[in-house]
Amino acid sequence: MTKKIPHRLYLTEDQMPTQWYNLRADMSEKPDPMLNPATGKPVIPEDLYPVFCEKLAHQELDDTTRYIDIPKEILEMYKNYRPSPLCRAYNLERALETPAKIYYKFEGNNTSGSHKLNSAIAQAYYAKEQGLTGLTTETGAGQWGTALAESCCYFGIPLTVYMVKASYEQKPFRKSIMETFGATVIASPSNTTEAGRKILATNPNTSGSLGCAISEAVEKAVTTEGYKYVLGSVLNQVLLHQSIVGLESEKAMEMLGEYPDVVIGCAGGGSNLGGLIAPFMRDKITGKANPRLIAVEPASCPSLTRGKYMYDYCDTGKITPMAKMYTLGCTFAPSPIHAGGLRYHGMAPILSKLYHEGYMEAVSVEQTKVFEAATFFAKYESILPAPESAHAIRTAIDEALKCKETGEEKTILFGLTGTGFFDMTAYSSFHEGTMIDHIPTDEELQKGFDKLPKIPGIQE
Ligand SMILES: Cc1ncc(COP(=O)(O)O)c(C=O)c1O
């Protein structure tokens, strides 16, 4: 008799992983080192101390420790909303008339509404442990800012959030939630920092970008005694914390006797994707299995599919270390699409390296197609997805429809990173038919590439 797969599988608290998995340990070729912008030399932990907490600086540069214990204080807060469910999309499968089996890992069941809490808790904890008096960060869509506001509130640390102006204006209630948790929220670019003032002087009507908000948050941290900066994506440490998503998925699938043929995730800076695919990528690298791993990005901000694999700054203000990654150039300002969390110019160095070596695929999708998929999914699965997450849904549906054509019964796993309750302006514009797609021209992209940094002996 075949086993009945439940609609939702929740691991028990005891089954929740107690260690994060560091994918870099299994990569035979490690991501290229971050460079200190002042010297052009690979950074050492001490170079990162002015900006990051010391423990996090070490996690950032640790290419060898395979498993890292999750401190018990972090596990305690994880248990407020984890383990998250692995869902079988029976209704969606039926609606698509596909022989494919579709699973999704749902990370939206917490107040921040997304996976971002997994790293926010870790970063706030390490800040508290180091005795810091405050933190700063940026937020795009608002999920990361909310997650960090919740975490800082839990550990009793003041927080200043620079929120990309486009999102700040589109989602005023996001600001209210962050304030409920005690955070100070500032629209970026702002007049509160040198970086913000510079950007406003050249482009007073800018809707902002993640890179610009990062510059402001970093500047505020390094100029305020006892403060550090924390970032919700891109960095190696963030992918490490997000590995809990992949580890739980792997365990749940194992209990069901399943293994994915295809794993799909939306990709902004790469943190949910890097976390979700971590154990499956390990299997691929070590030759144990050969799943397809797919990054889905917006056609308006196509860092993997149209970017260059080069050293670039992680922020528009050029104060962060330089990372080798797929990038559109840190000066690239994407059009203000509704998936605010996917408007980042670069991609996590770990994923960039793996993509460059052919271990991962990438596709880009237009936002009207994304909202078509989001609406279809909502109708059948009764969850209102975040626009970011709906990028993964789009590609999961496309893969399932391919299976319908070929008759293949593939197992598809995708990351449903969050809910879209604050994105109703976007949903309305889709329903009213006013949503537009913007695909940058080659000439527009070239402007960003022309400003990539020149590093003697490395990148001329
Ligand atoms: C719901 C949701 N999914 C995905 C992302 C993309 O970020 P990342 O690529 O780091 O997972 C964001 C970023 O704000 C988000 O809010």
Side-chain angles (χ1 to χ4, degrees), residues 113-116 141-144 232-234 266-273 340-342 386 388-389 417-419:
S114 83
H115 66 294
K116 300 279 177 177
Q143 277 95 334
W144 165 248
S233 187
V234 187
C266 65
S271 75
N272 86 85
L273 178 69
L342 304 186
E388 291 83 2
S389 323
T417 49
T419 46

Side-chain angles (χ1 to χ4, degrees), residues 95-117:
L96 294 171
E97 297 176 339
T98 175
K101 292 184 275 181
I102 308 177
Y103 289 91
Y104 55 92
K105 179 73 168 160
F106 182 39
E107 290 290 315
N109 262 345
N110 64 72
T111 298
S112 80
S114 83
H115 66 294
K116 300 279 177 177
L117 201 48

